[in-house]
Amino acid sequence: MFLLHWCRPQTAAKLVHCDVLFGDRIRAFYTRLALKWPFKWAKWWIKLDDLKNYSVDEQLIYLKDVRNDYDVFSAMSPEAWILCMKNGHISRLSYAMSNLDLRDDLFIALVDFTLAEQKESSLMKEYTHFGTLTQQKATILVDKAIAESKDYPEGCLARILCEYIDRCNLRKDLLNKIADSEATPEFKERVADAHQTHLQKCIVRDLACWKDEKNPAKWRKFCKLNSKIYAGAQMEMDEEQYKIFHETGHLLDKAAIAYLLCNTTPPYCRLIFRYEPKFGIQSENIKFCLKRFVNIPPILQEEIEDFEKRLKKQMKKGIKPDSVDIEKMFDCPSAGDLALEYITKWPLPQELHKRMLEPENAEELICKYFAQGYTLDDEVMLKAISAGWIKLPPSNHSAGKIIC
């Protein structure tokens, strides 16, 4: 057996573990002797229950040379397990997920790894974005995120925790623990926002207009009483809720617009284009969403054309558009003509003066606006003078006057 173990330790271990040839006592005897040999030979005799007691390098050698299966991953120490995950040795996430369910020490290792790397691994994402955490694991994540906030104001764990709270919320004692901790005010504010988002999402779902005829009135009351409705809650609104949301003076968040354009019906998208400033096109992400769905851009074009017709008709009657419509005016293809008609009757809000520089007839707009006797924004005035649209008279002629 000595010679066999010296030359072929794998064969010796396999032979000794054969129940037909050896009993428990002799097997235990040979195992005890073999484990005293250097690791090169002893690795074939290691029991999985004892694997975590070896060094990380030795555990990785065992994984490579002896066994590479679910039971080995389950038996590893947290340090070796996280190294396997980092290096891609755990090819199946289901293995790692099962390990995490059974062992909190592995979850601690994964959280520590995420904290050190400041990057969310696919395993961390899968584990925290689906299902719920146990009480112990939620406490671990909270404690680590509180500690992280001191060194990383916009830390990865804080984002993961807030996303989890947004989806599943936290027990009251953990929320109180965060509020009473020495974490940064920014971190506490993010947690509070995530908590409120979760509560509002629950309210939106409960007050869906199709569920109960009393829900529209309840939803209207909620919208009137809450000046801030979070983007996560906005994404949950049905079409009727959105109409009431708009009627009570609310506007969609950019993130909510992008989400709804990708996940709602064409009639809902039409309402967004009609109700939101700039026809809802407020970010590059929203523009990208429009490109993904060929049936949505034609609806946007129809709404723009209808808006142009309505605005022209309204101004001809001498009815001044509201501030939202004035801003949307500059997002129309015929912005130059619409703006020219508008400024012949009313001055623009100062924050929109710069938008007169956008249309092709910017020079005509600026000169017309100035000729009306309206005061131009200082920055726009300087740009108009530098472009030669407005000329300063010689110092010995008509002091204080400007020629357009």
Side-chain angles (χ1 to χ4, degrees):
M1 181 60 70
F2 174 85
L3 292 175
L4 180 62
H5 187 245
W6 179 271
C7 299
R8 299 291 298 274
Q10 181 180 5
T11 303
K14 186 176 181 180
L15 182 65
V16 169
H17 284 84
C18 178
D19 293 334
V20 177
L21 298 177
F22 296 93
D24 292 339
R25 290 184 62 188
I26 193 64
R27 184 180 300 116
F29 172 74
Y30 278 127
T31 299
R32 187 167 59 254
L33 290 179
L35 289 175
K36 293 180 180 180
W37 284 47
F39 188 77
K40 177 181 178 180
W41 290 271
K43 64 186 177 184
W44 301 101
W45 301 80
I46 295 173
K47 295 181 179 179
L48 286 183
D49 291 342
D50 299 326
L51 182 62
K52 61 180 177 293
N53 298 324
Y54 289 81
S55 70
V56 171
D57 290 339
E58 289 173 338
Q59 292 180 63
L60 294 180
I61 292 172
Y62 183 92
L63 179 70
K64 178 184 177 183
D65 296 344
V66 183
R67 289 179 61 180
N68 186 338
D69 56 37
Y70 170 78
D71 291 334
V72 176
F73 292 126
S74 301
M76 285 180 141
S77 67
E79 296 79 13
W81 182 88
I82 202 67
L83 191 60
C84 285
M85 188 276 295
K86 179 181 178 180
N87 295 336
H89 294 311
I90 303 179
S91 57
R92 293 180 58 185
L93 282 180
S94 57
Y95 281 1
M97 300 277 278
S98 300
N99 297 158
L100 287 171
D101 286 337
L102 297 173
R103 293 175 56 185
D104 288 339
D105 61 337
L106 296 185
F107 184 71
I108 293 174
L110 179 60
V111 173
D112 286 340
F113 171 73
T114 306
L115 173 59
E117 296 288 319
Q118 282 299 297
K119 182 179 179 181
E120 185 177 19
S121 63
S122 57
L123 175 57
M124 189 68 172
K125 186 173 183 178
E126 287 286 329
Y127 199 73
T128 57
H129 286 227
F130 303 96
T132 55
L133 297 175
T134 63
Q135 177 178 340
Q136 182 63 25
K137 287 183 173 64
T139 303
I140 291 168
L141 182 57
V142 166
D143 290 341
K144 297 289 185 179
I146 290 173
E148 176 198 56
S149 71
K150 300 172 185 176
D151 297 322
Y152 302 97
E154 301 291 331
C156 186
L157 290 183
R159 177 176 54 79
I160 292 171
L161 176 62
C162 289
E163 288 175 354
Y164 180 78
I165 295 172
D166 184 316
R167 186 172 62 85
C168 300
N169 210 358
L170 280 179
R171 300 191 322 271
K172 187 176 181 180
D173 62 311
L174 288 180
L175 290 171
N176 290 337
K177 184 177 186 178
I178 295 171
D180 296 337
S181 71
E182 296 181 357
T184 61
E186 294 79 10
F187 172 71
K188 293 181 180 180
E189 184 178 355
R190 290 178 66 184
V191 169
D193 286 346
H195 174 59
Q196 288 302 317
T197 298
H198 176 82
L199 296 180
Q200 287 190 356
K201 286 167 68 173
C202 293
I203 291 172
V204 173
R205 293 167 188 163
D206 290 341
L207 297 183
C209 291
W210 56 270
K211 285 185 177 180
D212 192 319
E213 60 182 10
K214 296 180 181 179
N215 280 354
K218 293 179 180 178
W219 174 244
R220 186 179 297 275
K221 181 178 179 181
F222 175 82
C223 290
K224 288 181 177 179
L225 292 176
N226 290 271
S227 59
K228 182 173 183 179
I229 297 179
Y230 289 86
Q234 295 174 16
M235 296 176 190
E236 302 286 334
M237 294 188 297
D238 60 34
E239 190 173 326
E240 292 303 313
Q241 285 178 312
Y242 175 56
K243 289 179 181 178
I244 296 171
F245 173 87
H246 168 72
E247 290 168 3
T248 51
H250 292 281
L251 295 172
L252 288 174
D253 186 89
K254 294 176 184 178
I257 293 174
Y259 176 85
L260 291 169
L261 289 178
C262 294
N263 295 278
T264 55
T265 61
Y268 200 151
C269 294
R270 184 181 294 276
L271 290 178
I272 292 173
F273 298 144
R274 184 177 303 168
Y275 293 157
E276 298 302 319
K278 299 185 178 181
F279 301 98
I281 316 305
Q282 300 172 19
S283 70
E284 291 301 319
N285 194 27
I286 295 172
K287 292 178 182 178
F288 174 75
C289 293
L290 288 175
K291 294 177 181 178
R292 291 181 58 194
F293 301 94
V294 295
N295 61 324
I296 302 300
I299 297 174
L300 171 61
Q301 185 59 36
E302 290 176 11
E303 281 303 312
I304 292 175
E305 292 174 358
D306 289 345
F307 172 78
E308 289 176 332
K309 293 176 182 177
R310 177 175 62 82
L311 195 63
K312 287 178 182 178
K313 186 176 180 180
Q314 181 179 338
M315 289 192 294
K316 284 181 180 179
K317 291 182 178 181
I319 302 173
K320 184 179 180 181
D322 60 28
S323 58
V324 175
D325 283 351
I326 298 172
E327 187 168 5
K328 288 177 78 170
M329 173 178 70
F330 285 99
D331 296 300
C332 296
S334 61
D337 295 334
L338 290 171
L340 192 60
E341 186 170 349
Y342 176 89
I343 64 177
T344 58
K345 297 180 174 67
W346 308 282
L348 283 168
Q350 186 171 354
E351 62 271 15
L352 295 179
H353 284 193
K354 293 179 183 178
R355 301 213 63 180
M356 285 192 289
L357 298 169
E358 297 173 9
E360 292 182 358
N361 63 337
E363 180 179 358
E364 182 184 8
L365 284 175
I366 298 294
C367 289
K368 181 69 174 179
Y369 194 82
F370 189 76
Q372 293 287 107
Y374 302 139
T375 302
L376 274 169
D377 175 80
D378 291 343
E379 185 176 347
V380 177
M381 173 69 84
L382 288 174
K383 287 186 177 181
I385 292 173
S386 63
W389 301 341
I390 296 176
K391 298 179 181 178
L392 291 170
S395 57
N396 58 340
H397 296 291
S398 305
K401 292 184 179 180
I402 297 176
I403 301 172
C404 185

